[in-house]
Amino acid sequence: MELSDQLKRLEKLEQDTIIQYFESIPFSNHKQDNLVCLHDFMIVHLLRGDLNDSFLSDNFVDLEENEKRNLLELVQNYSYLIFYQGNSSCWMDSLEGVTLEDMDLVCLRIIDNYDFLLKIARKGGESVLKQLSQFQKSVMSKDGSVLEYLRNTFCDDKSLIKFLIEISKTDGLYAGLSDDEKIEMCIYLRKELNELLKNNEKYSYMDIENELLKIFSMNENHFCDTENELFKSQDFVSMFLDINYNY
């Protein structure tokens, strides 16, 4: 969704929250406090499903009304994945690298993460959400939400969704890994890719793929201390790249 569409979505949610809950929102004379209060109410009621009809999303395209309702209900059960420590009241602490000086920007990103969770659920189903729940319990969520961590780790959302779907399968490339090993892999990927991006202001997907080949190649500094033979094969490298970066 384009930024202009995201802004329209936020504006509609804000307006409908004011219309429906004006008498309950404790507005004051301080503009910033009012904005925080409005967004508090908006997020609470969005997660309860009270603003489902106000939420604009490409994820609802081609869905029947009952399919849309089921998707929203599923994501509402896992909405904690977009918040710091899984707590919606901590929404202002759930982002990485976004200043609290711009409340609209913070809320815009929170709502976008909620929309991305809808996309994950629609494409990958509940098994992906359950896998993310395991990730939520790790250090990946110590500075924000686990979804924010992963979105900032991968090159783009499309490759992240492919990765999450594959890593959640019981018979896929990562099926032999424990949750701890999957978490370790994600953390190492973030470290290595961040180093690459830090040293290269301009980079291509080929740069990323070359770096991943180094990460997963056989060497003494192998990213995972496990003796799982899966990581020591060139097949793992090529399959990882194919899953996450060829589309």
Side-chain angles (χ1 to χ4, degrees):
M1 181 177 282
E2 298 292 332
L3 179 59
S4 60
D5 293 326
Q6 292 183 37
L7 288 169
K8 289 178 183 177
R9 176 170 61 198
L10 178 59
E11 289 172 0
K12 179 167 178 56
L13 286 169
E14 289 173 339
Q15 290 170 2
D16 287 0
T17 300
I18 292 173
I19 291 171
Q20 295 182 46
Y21 306 105
F22 180 80
E23 294 184 357
S24 301
I25 303 173
F27 287 123
S28 67
N29 294 324
H30 300 285
K31 181 178 179 181
Q32 188 71 357
D33 291 344
N34 285 341
L35 194 57
V36 171
C37 195
L38 171 61
H39 289 163
D40 278 339
F41 265 74
M42 183 184 74
I43 289 172
V44 165
H45 286 285
L46 176 64
L47 301 183
R48 287 179 181 173
D50 300 332
L51 295 172
N52 283 352
D53 292 337
S54 304
F55 194 83
L56 306 176
S57 174
D58 294 339
N59 293 306
F60 302 145
V61 174
D62 299 329
L63 289 185
E64 299 290 340
E65 191 58 36
N66 66 313
E67 293 174 321
K68 174 184 173 181
R69 183 175 59 253
N70 291 339
L71 177 63
L72 283 163
E73 288 177 356
L74 174 61
V75 167
Q76 283 156 10
N77 290 333
Y78 289 88
S79 61
Y80 56 83
L81 294 170
I82 69 172
F83 299 111
Y84 173 64
Q85 295 186 343
N87 190 339
S88 61
S89 65
C90 297
W91 62 269
M92 288 186 290
D93 301 313
S94 300
L95 304 180
E96 297 180 335
V98 178
T99 175
L100 293 179
E101 294 177 3
D102 190 339
M103 280 292 107
D104 277 334
L105 179 60
V106 173
C107 203
L108 194 74
R109 179 68 177 182
I110 292 293
I111 297 301
D112 186 59
N113 280 342
Y114 182 76
D115 189 52
F116 185 57
L117 197 61
L118 284 167
K119 182 176 290 187
I120 291 173
R122 179 171 180 180
K123 290 182 177 292
E126 189 170 11
S127 61
V128 178
L129 302 180
K130 288 180 177 179
Q131 182 64 71
L132 282 169
S133 296
Q134 295 302 314
F135 291 168
Q136 173 85 359
K137 302 172 185 177
S138 74
V139 295
M140 281 193 265
S141 61
K142 72 180 182 69
D143 295 321
S145 73
V146 66
L147 199 62
E148 180 78 1
Y149 179 98
L150 289 168
R151 290 187 83 179
N152 289 334
T153 297
F154 279 74
C155 297
D156 59 31
D157 289 341
K158 191 180 293 186
S159 60
L160 173 55
I161 288 177
K162 282 191 172 187
F163 174 78
L164 290 175
I165 291 173
E166 187 65 27
I167 206 171
S168 305
K169 291 179 179 178
T170 57
D171 58 351
L173 173 61
Y174 310 110
L177 303 183
S178 67
D179 285 325
D180 286 342
E181 289 169 337
K182 292 175 182 178
I183 290 167
E184 186 178 355
M185 179 171 64
C186 291
I187 292 171
Y188 195 84
L189 276 174
R190 182 181 176 93
K191 174 187 172 187
E192 293 299 315
L193 293 179
N194 279 350
E195 284 298 315
L196 174 69
L197 304 187
K198 187 194 316 182
N199 297 326
N200 295 272
E201 292 185 5
K202 294 183 179 180
Y203 63 92
S204 65
Y205 286 115
M206 186 59 68
D207 295 325
I208 299 292
E209 291 191 5
N210 288 337
E211 187 65 19
L212 285 170
L213 282 169
K214 295 177 187 176
I215 294 172
F216 292 122
S217 62
M218 294 173 60
N219 58 64
E220 295 180 354
N221 296 319
H222 203 271
F223 88 92
C224 190
D225 292 332
T226 180
E227 295 183 358
N228 193 321
E229 293 297 321
L230 173 66
F231 294 117
K232 299 180 181 180
S233 70
Q234 188 64 25
D235 285 342
F236 179 83
V237 179
S238 59
M239 289 178 70
F240 182 93
L241 295 177
D242 180 64
I243 289 168
N244 298 298
Y245 293 93
N246 292 335
Y247 48 83

